[in-house]
């Protein structure tokens, strides 16, 4: 599991921005205990010798860590699989997924948000979206997830009482992802009446090719003069 330390999980203390390896009993089919066996950074390797008593080793190697973690899993060198980045959920290459997650405080009905177009990106549709009035207190929930046109957006989260969603009456927080990028990293829920932020950028216009210069005609050759006849000599 990639324990990314940002947004909702920005307060992670153990194993932040690392790949954590957890073992559990019950084989995932029933309730049981689990325990942390490894915390891996880039290049880290964990080997489970004689995995499941089958006489073969399970080797986990962390290849890279960024917005996602790329991990190679080898089982007795017979099967090697590299976990590739998650493909974009948007079928249109001109779109990108926006995800909004909110952990409410003790008074979830006071929380609301809006998402609107910002700026003047060509071809960008204004989604003009909003949400709020939640009923579950102290609950982490994905309140919005949709593909939108690539462009610039303005996000506003508000608290009608004016004390944010942290930290007097609960420990609320929020996170906005544009694709896989946390666009407001480190921003807490202690924002008073509201927080306003912008993210994204306009697609670059296609480069205009330089004008084709007119063809250069080769220089005209000078005319070749006719040969001069030798003078005629008269007899004396």
């Amino acid at each position: 599991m990639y324990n990314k330390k940002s947004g909702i999980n920005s307060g992670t203390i153990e194993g932040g921005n690392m790949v954590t390896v957890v073992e559990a009993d019950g084989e995932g089919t029933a309730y049981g205990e689990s325990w942390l066996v490894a915390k891996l950074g880039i290049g880290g390797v964990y080997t489970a010798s004689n995995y499941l008593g089958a006489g073969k080793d399970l080797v986990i190697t962390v290849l890279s860590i960024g917005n996602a973690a790329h991990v190679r899993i080898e089982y007795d060198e017979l099967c090697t699989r590299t976990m590739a980045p998650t493909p974009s959920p948007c079928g249109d290459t001109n779109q990108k997924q926006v995800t909004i997650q909110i952990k409410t405080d003790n008074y979830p009905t006071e929380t609301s948000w809006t998402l609107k177009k910002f700026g003047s990106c060509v071809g960008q549709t204004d989604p003009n979206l909003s949400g709020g009035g939640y009923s579950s207190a102290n609950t982490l929930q994905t309140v919005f997830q949709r593909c939108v046109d690539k462009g610039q957006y303005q996000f506003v989260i508000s608290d009608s009482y004016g004390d944010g969603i942290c930290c007097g009456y609960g420990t609320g927080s929020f996170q906005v992802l544009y694709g896989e990028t946390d666009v407001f990293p480190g921003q807490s829920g202690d924002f008073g009446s509201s927080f306003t932020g912008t993210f994204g950028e306009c697609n670059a216009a296609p480069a205009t090719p330089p004008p084709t210069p007119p063809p250069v005609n080769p220089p005209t050759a000078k005319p070749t003069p006719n040969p001069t006849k030798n003078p005629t000599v008269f007899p004396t």
Side-chain angles (χ1 to χ4, degrees):
M1 178 179 66
Y2 178 32
N3 199 21
K4 186 177 181 181
K5 188 176 181 179
S6 66
I8 297 296
N9 299 319
S10 59
T12 297
I13 297 175
E14 184 175 9
N17 293 328
M18 302 181 77
V19 173
T20 57
V21 182
V22 177
E23 288 188 5
D25 57 15
E27 298 183 358
T29 59
Y31 291 106
E33 295 182 350
S34 63
W35 53 94
L36 178 67
V37 296
K39 295 178 290 185
L40 306 176
I42 298 175
V45 179
Y46 171 76
T47 302
S49 302
N50 191 23
Y51 184 63
L52 297 179
K56 301 174 182 178
D57 293 345
L58 177 73
V59 181
I60 300 174
T61 306
V62 179
L63 304 178
S64 65
I65 290 178
N67 289 324
H70 299 170
V71 179
R72 184 176 65 230
I73 301 175
E74 301 171 276
Y75 185 51
D76 194 39
E77 301 182 354
L78 297 179
C79 178
T80 301
R81 180 181 178 183
T82 299
M83 298 173 65
T86 304
S88 171
C90 306
D92 189 342
T93 56
N94 292 317
Q95 292 190 326
K96 212 165 188 177
Q97 182 170 273
V98 172
T99 303
I100 302 173
Q101 291 184 317
I102 296 177
K103 181 185 177 185
T104 55
D105 62 1
N106 295 351
Y107 300 93
T109 57
E110 298 174 356
T111 304
S112 63
W113 59 269
T114 61
L115 180 67
K116 297 180 179 180
K117 176 181 176 181
F118 180 79
S120 55
C121 297
V122 177
Q124 179 188 353
T125 302
D126 188 353
N128 196 20
L129 299 164
S130 62
Y134 302 106
S135 58
S136 299
N138 303 302
T139 303
L140 174 62
Q141 49 195 305
T142 299
V143 299
F144 176 80
Q145 189 172 59
R146 187 184 303 176
C147 292
V148 298
D149 293 340
K150 291 181 179 178
Q152 291 181 304
Y153 292 91
Q154 181 186 73
F155 172 76
V156 180
I157 184 169
S158 304
D159 182 86
S160 60
Y161 191 76
D163 62 348
I165 53 177
C166 185
C167 299
Y169 300 95
T171 54
S173 58
F174 71 93
Q175 181 182 45
V176 179
L177 299 177
Y178 187 50
E180 294 184 349
T181 302
D182 182 353
V183 294
F184 307 124
Q187 174 61 44
S188 73
D190 187 11
F191 51 73
S193 296
S194 66
F195 165 82
T196 301
T198 59
F199 62 91
E201 59 184 8
C202 296
N203 287 330
T208 304
T212 303
V216 178
N217 295 323
T220 304
K222 293 181 179 180
T224 303
N226 294 327
T228 304
K229 292 182 179 180
N230 294 328
T232 303
V233 178
F234 294 97
T236 304

